[in-house]
Amino acid sequence: MQSPKRRGKRRVSTNGSLSRIPVRLNVLMGIVVLMLGALGWRLATLQITDSAKYKTAVTSAESSVEQVNVQRGMIYDSTGQALVANKGSQAITYTKPKSITESEMYAIANNVGKYLTVDTKQLSTPNYATYYIQDPKRAKRVVEASGTTAAPGTDAYVNALRGYVEKHKKRFPLTDLQKNKAMIYQKMANSYALSTVYLKETDVTQQEIADIGERQSKMPGVKVGIYYTRDYPQGDAIKSLVGGTSTSKSGLPEDSVNSLLTQGYSRDDVVGTSYLEKQYESTLKGTKARVEVTTDKDGNTKETTQYKGQAGDNLTLTINAKFQNDVQDILEKNIPGGNTTGAYAVVINPKTGGIYATAGVNRDYETGKLTADALSTVNQANVVGSVVKPAMITTGFMNGAITPENNTITDQPISVAGTPTKSSWWNRNGSGNMPLTADTALMMSSNTYVMQVMLRLGGLNYFPGMSLGALPTSVYQTMRDGFARFGLGVKTGIDLPGEITGIKGSTTREHIGNALDESFGQYDTYTTMQLAQYVATIANGGYRVRPHIVQSIQSRDTANKVTTTTIPTEVLGTVGWTKDERDLIWKGMNEVVHSSSGYATGTHLKDVKPEVSAKTGTAETTTNGATTVTSSLISFVPDSDVALAVVIPGTDDADENVNQAIGSQIYAAFWKDVQDAGSANK
């Protein structure tokens, strides 16, 4: 009785399941219909609504924008003479397409190599190997020799073959013609997509130009172009000031290649590598032209210029080329022999900071060889001796150690505990003790006058045998702050790279005795450019102006309209002295040259016309184990547009007046080359 009941229940359950199947199928079919509808709607959208957008995308994928180099800006001297120009020569270029295989580049390189001969000295071993295995027959020889089991076409296969050729290069020789093609292949392979590189930039023959020009359609990306190099119409000597540029062969400088690449440069672009070329790179480089290259389905190309490009802006310098060359020649002709290590000079307009000339010559004291180096005036520093005394006396004025009304101090040898006796050059043993005023101390170049001013800055008065234990080390900073008002010991701000501040000696208690040396220029070091800024500050009445080489920048817009931007005079600070204080400094520097006293140190300049004021300096040094001196000079024509600084390190005592000989000749050249002497004081 129970069994049939159980069977009846199972039948009811089965019949219920069967009844639910059509419902599920209906749901599934509904979902499918909805999905097909959505797919159809999307397809219609793509074909109708978004058709234009995707057609544009396809067209865009078939076109690319190439950048074409332009000329760098030119550099002129203050009279308008071209110092740095551009010389164009025909070249063969290659612009790498967006997508190209190594085998395609290999074919193009082989084709180009039939008609173009390049220098193969820079063919690298990895590229030699890469080129070698591109040929199937050569690759087979490498496979047999290496025994590699890597599958052909895989990265492992290529790396195995290339690595084997690199290690066994002599077993897989290339002919000279093949090496030529390999070098062309290397240049192509090492370029970036859409970037233009030079396959050959110099000495391209007319036959090569004709052969390549006729076959450009069969050499995708290869063209006849122009390669610009820097040219120096006034001679190469100016390169020691304006600096140099890279070449397509040297590539971007290694120390800045990554940053330049992020700025949009190509690896073989020409960029400034030193001095003005580097400092004004963004101004001189210009803006590359942009050309859209469109390729149709048949491989035909069409070029459309999007932007013609803009040549770099031109620089006009404050430098007078003739005067610059004459100053350089004066230094080279007058530099002493012996242990002299160089001669440097800067001529400046004290009112504007414009540099008329900055010249330098380095000397190898062992061989006597001279090397022109105009930038030694900003990147070499020396102890300069007594030329710092006008700044030291001014520091005394500014801090109340002396005043224009009360500045008499007795010159006497300075003997303090723990340091050697120090004296003026004409009063070694004390027999010449005499009271000196500030201007007379400058005229006679009294060392002990400024040493006693230094002691007063530290709150002490000199007496023989005194200790410096109570002299605060802060006296160093007081002196350096005073010197910095004129530009000594700080960067001048000149628009040239690589400027240094010089070396500052230790100011610890153990070195307190050197504060005496600091007061008369025998401790810290200064550049010749700092001395030029310093004397300009004295000459113009107390304004520290920033020296500059560039006078103006000329740029052209797309309508070829020229805009000139003049570099303004920039005042970096003021001395803050009174007219009486300034007049005493001027009076002392005038007496250096024109006093009838036998103690005047600058009388070799007395015949210079118009009359000049000056301060000489001799700093004791050691060169090559011998006792030497640095002979220095600062000088200016009062109320005029010219001042100068001269430094000659490593001279013998007999040559200590070479500073004045050089200064006299520089003034003569200035009135001949730059200004008429009659325009002075106007």
Side-chain angles (χ1 to χ4, degrees):
M1 293 294 294
Q2 294 176 349
S3 297
K5 289 181 180 180
R6 287 194 291 270
R7 285 195 295 271
K9 289 180 180 178
R10 284 196 294 271
R11 282 196 299 271
V12 172
S13 175
T14 303
N15 291 337
S17 297
L18 291 171
S19 68
R20 287 194 292 270
I21 290 174
V23 175
R24 292 178 180 176
L25 286 174
N26 289 335
V27 171
L28 289 173
M29 289 177 65
I31 292 172
V32 170
V33 170
L34 289 174
M35 292 179 66
L36 288 172
L39 184 61
W41 175 83
R42 182 58 180 159
L43 182 61
T45 300
L46 291 174
Q47 291 181 330
I48 301 172
T49 307
D50 295 339
S51 175
K53 181 175 72 173
Y54 287 102
K55 284 181 179 179
T56 301
V58 170
T59 303
S60 176
E62 295 175 345
S63 65
S64 60
V65 177
E66 300 175 358
Q67 294 188 334
V68 181
N69 290 328
V70 296
Q71 295 189 55
R72 285 177 73 79
M74 296 178 64
I75 301 177
Y76 299 91
D77 83 338
S78 60
T79 68
Q81 290 190 84
L83 301 178
V84 185
N86 298 297
K87 182 168 62 176
S89 58
Q90 289 186 299
I92 306 300
T93 68
Y94 174 69
T95 303
K96 193 173 186 177
K98 261 185 179 179
S99 57
I100 186 171
T101 65
E102 287 190 347
S103 60
E104 289 172 335
M105 256 191 307
Y106 173 77
I108 296 171
N110 282 338
N111 194 14
V112 174
K114 297 176 185 177
Y115 310 103
L116 186 70
T117 302
V118 299
D119 187 350
T120 62
K121 291 179 182 178
Q122 293 182 312
L123 177 61
S124 68
T125 298
N127 282 290
Y128 179 104
T130 301
Y131 175 84
Y132 189 91
I133 64 174
Q134 287 294 322
D135 180 87
K137 293 182 180 179
R138 294 197 299 258
K140 183 179 180 180
R141 288 198 292 270
V142 180
V143 170
E144 294 172 351
S146 65
T148 182
T149 58
T154 64
D155 289 343
Y157 174 83
V158 173
N159 291 336
L161 267 59
R162 183 165 51 207
Y164 193 82
V165 174
E166 288 182 37
K167 292 180 180 179
H168 306 87
K169 186 176 177 181
K170 291 183 178 180
R171 295 177 57 183
F172 305 101
L174 291 174
T175 65
D176 288 344
L177 178 58
Q178 289 170 330
K179 288 179 182 178
N180 182 67
K181 296 175 180 179
M183 187 68 215
I184 294 171
Y185 175 79
Q186 173 179 303
K187 292 186 177 186
M188 291 179 172
N190 288 348
S191 63
Y192 293 104
L194 304 182
S195 67
T196 300
V197 297
Y198 291 96
L199 300 181
K200 187 174 184 179
E201 63 271 31
T202 57
D203 301 322
V204 182
T205 67
Q206 290 301 312
Q207 186 62 50
E208 289 174 327
I209 292 170
D211 289 339
I212 296 296
E214 291 173 1
R215 297 168 176 84
Q216 280 185 196
S217 60
K218 299 179 181 179
M219 304 173 180
V222 179
K223 298 177 183 177
V224 177
I226 299 293
Y227 179 70
Y228 295 103
T229 56
R230 285 310 224 181
D231 185 45
Y232 305 92
Q234 306 303 317
D236 289 349
I238 198 67
K239 291 175 69 174
S240 69
L241 173 62
V242 299
T245 59
S246 64
T247 65
S248 64
K249 288 184 178 180
S250 65
L252 299 178
E254 285 296 327
D255 60 352
S256 56
V257 60
N258 291 328
S259 63
L260 290 172
L261 288 174
T262 61
Q263 295 173 42
Y265 286 89
S266 298
R267 285 189 177 272
D268 68 343
D269 276 347
V270 173
V271 300
T273 56
S274 58
Y275 310 150
L276 281 178
E277 291 275 18
K278 181 177 182 179
Q279 186 77 7
Y280 286 89
E281 168 61 25
S282 61
T283 301
L284 293 166
K285 70 174 183 178
T287 307
K288 293 181 178 181
R290 293 192 297 272
V291 178
E292 182 181 33
V293 180
T294 305
T295 305
D296 63 21
K297 62 181 180 180
D298 298 321
N300 300 314
T301 61
K302 177 184 177 182
E303 295 186 358
T304 304
T305 300
Q306 292 184 338
Y307 174 62
K308 293 182 179 180
Q310 187 67 51
D313 294 344
N314 300 327
L315 303 181
T316 295
L317 307 186
T318 59
I319 297 290
N320 178 295
K322 177 67 167 60
F323 183 54
Q324 171 75 21
N325 290 336
D326 283 348
V327 173
Q328 185 70 35
D329 189 55
I330 289 168
L331 294 179
E332 293 179 1
K333 287 181 177 178
N334 287 273
I335 186 170
N339 292 302
T340 304
T341 57
Y344 315 105
V346 175
V347 186
I348 188 172
N349 184 325
K351 298 175 183 177
T352 67
I355 301 298
Y356 296 116
T358 177
V361 55
N362 297 326
R363 180 179 180 275
D364 186 323
Y365 58 75
E366 293 182 343
T367 65
K369 181 181 178 181
L370 302 180
T371 304
D373 186 4
L375 271 296
S376 289
T377 59
V378 299
N379 60 32
Q380 288 193 31
N382 298 276
V383 289
V384 294
S386 296
V387 291
V388 307
K389 289 174 181 173
M392 183 63 203
I393 291 174
T394 300
T395 303
F397 286 144
M398 302 297 294
N399 289 275
I402 53 177
T403 68
E405 299 76 27
N406 184 8
N407 54 74
T408 300
I409 299 176
T410 298
D411 184 284
Q412 56 188 311
I414 302 299
S415 178
V416 300
T419 66
T421 298
K422 301 177 187 294
S423 65
S424 299
W425 62 274
W426 42 268
N427 191 18
R428 298 299 186 192
N429 58 16
S431 61
N433 288 4
M434 67 177 74
L436 300 177
T437 57
D439 58 306
T440 306
L442 286 176
M443 181 268 288
M444 299 176 69
S445 199
S446 171
N447 290 342
T448 68
Y449 185 96
V450 291
M451 282 190 270
Q452 292 178 75
V453 170
M454 182 278 296
L455 292 172
R456 292 187 183 188
L457 292 175
L460 304 178
N461 287 309
Y462 173 71
F463 61 87
M466 69 181 293
S467 168
L468 296 182
L471 183 66
T473 56
S474 61
V475 73
Y476 275 111
Q477 195 58 48
T478 301
M479 287 188 285
R480 287 171 178 169
D481 287 346
F483 291 1
R485 288 174 178 266
F486 292 91
L488 294 175
V490 294
K491 288 188 177 181
T492 66
I494 191 168
D495 50 347
L496 290 169
E499 182 183 17
I500 65 172
T501 58
I503 298 174
K504 291 180 171 63
S506 175
T507 60
T508 62
R509 173 56 55 184
E510 291 75 15
H511 292 86
I512 194 64
N514 292 117
L516 297 167
D517 302 317
E518 176 78 351
S519 69
F520 60 99
Q522 287 278 174
Y523 198 45
D524 290 352
T525 65
Y526 310 104
T527 66
T528 311
M529 190 61 68
Q530 287 175 2
L531 292 188
Q533 187 180 58
Y534 164 43
V535 70
T537 305
I538 296 173
N540 67 30
Y543 295 90
R544 184 164 70 94
V545 294
R546 183 177 68 85
H548 56 97
I549 299 289
V550 175
Q551 177 174 291
S552 62
I553 301 172
Q554 297 83 39
S555 57
R556 292 180 181 272
D557 60 19
T558 54
N560 211 33
K561 179 182 178 181
V562 178
T563 301
T564 300
T565 302
T566 301
I567 305 300
T569 299
E570 184 178 352
V571 177
L572 302 178
T574 59
V575 173
W577 53 14
T578 66
K579 182 177 184 300
D580 288 343
E581 291 166 348
R582 190 214 70 167
D583 287 349
L584 271 175
I585 299 299
W586 273 33
K587 180 182 179 184
M589 294 182 69
N590 178 267
E591 291 172 351
V592 166
V593 178
H594 302 288
S595 173
S596 59
S597 169
Y599 294 116
T601 60
T603 54
H604 292 274
L605 296 166
K606 66 181 180 181
D607 294 329
V608 174
K609 300 297 179 185
E611 289 189 357
V612 302
S613 297
K615 183 67 194 82
T616 61
T618 52
E620 295 179 1
T621 56
T622 300
T623 308
N624 194 28
T627 299
T628 55
V629 298
T630 297
S631 178
S632 58
L633 172 73
I634 59 172
S635 176
F636 65 96
V637 177
D639 301 312
S640 76
D641 297 334
V642 60
L644 63 83
V646 176
V647 177
I648 310 99
T651 66
D652 297 328
D653 285 337
D655 295 311
E656 66 176 292
N657 289 323
V658 66
N659 53 356
Q660 297 179 63
I662 288 174
S664 297
Q665 293 177 48
I666 289 176
Y667 275 120
F670 179 83
W671 299 120
K672 175 173 63 74
D673 297 336
V674 182
Q675 287 186 20
D676 180 79
S679 66
N681 309 120
K682 290 184 179 180

